[in-house]
Amino acid sequence: MAVIETETSAPTQRGVEAVVAALIAAFGGVVIIGSLLAGISWGAEGPRAGFFPFYVGIFIVIASAINLLSALRSDPKLLFAEWGQIRHVFSVAIPTALYVGSMPFVGLYVASAAFIAYFMRRLGRYRWLTALAVALAMPLITYIVFERWFLVPLPKGPLEDWLGL
C-alpha cells in the first residue's frame, strides 16, 4: 500500500491515530468507572461483577496510551486519507448509521427496503425498476425464511403491525 505524503489540508495519519487512541482510552475509562461502581473486589461467592471488566478497562487504557505515544512519534506529514477518499467512506457510513438508527422506529423490513434501494440507485446506479424490485424482494424473502420457516421474530415497525405480520 502506497503512503501518501503531500502538503494538503487532509487529515494526517498522526492526528487520526491520536484521536482514535484517545477515544478508545476514554472508552476504557468508562469501562473502569462502570466496573468500580459494580464492585471489583471479591465477595462471598467469588469475584464481583466489575472484577474482570475492570482489568479489561485497564488493559484498554494502557494499549491506547501505547498507541498514542506511537502516533505522536510518527511522521507528521503522512496523510491518513485524501478528502475524496473520506467522502467515499462517509457515503457508506452515514446511510448505514441512518439504517441502524431508523430500525427501532420503522422495523427491519422497511428500513432494509429503503437501505437496499438507496444503495442500488446511488452507488450501484441501477435503474429504478431493478432497485425497487430487489429492495422489495429481499425483505420479503427475509420474512419468509426467518419468520415463517425458522420462526425467528425480527424487529417490526408500524407497517408490519398494521399488516398483521
Side-chain angles (χ1 to χ4, degrees), residues 43-60:
E45 68 283 347
R48 297 193 54 198
F51 182 81
F52 179 72
F54 174 77
Y55 291 103
V56 171
I58 294 287
F59 288 129
I60 289 172

Side-chain angles (χ1 to χ4, degrees), residues 2-152:
V3 174
I4 302 169
E5 189 172 340
T6 60
E7 297 291 328
T8 68
S9 67
T12 63
Q13 182 174 338
R14 171 191 256 181
V16 171
E17 287 182 3
V19 168
V20 169
L23 289 172
I24 292 173
F27 170 74
V30 169
V31 170
I32 291 169
I33 291 169
S35 298
L36 289 171
L37 293 174
I40 61 170
S41 62
W42 283 76
E45 68 283 347
R48 297 193 54 198
F51 182 81
F52 179 72
F54 174 77
Y55 291 103
V56 171
I58 294 287
F59 288 129
I60 289 172
V61 170
I62 291 170
S64 296
I66 292 168
N67 286 338
L68 180 61
L69 290 174
S70 175
L72 295 177
R73 288 195 314 238
S74 68
D75 185 357
K77 293 181 182 178
L78 294 177
L79 291 183
F80 172 71
E82 294 175 353
W83 287 114
Q85 295 168 321
I86 293 171
R87 275 191 291 279
H88 283 295
V89 170
F90 280 116
S91 73
V92 173
I94 291 171
T96 302
L98 292 172
Y99 167 65
V100 171
S102 70
M103 206 176 303
F105 304 104
V106 299
L108 174 81
Y109 302 112
V110 173
S112 295
F115 184 69
I116 291 168
Y118 172 79
F119 271 102
M120 287 187 71
R121 278 295 298 159
R122 175 79 184 211
L123 300 179
R125 304 204 192 287
Y126 286 91
R127 296 180 329 200
W128 272 110
L129 183 61
T130 305
L132 289 175
V134 173
L136 294 174
M138 284 309 300
L140 179 62
I141 292 168
T142 302
Y143 174 78
I144 291 168
V145 170
F146 285 98
E147 302 251 0
R148 293 295 177 204
W149 292 351
F150 294 141
L151 303 174
V152 176

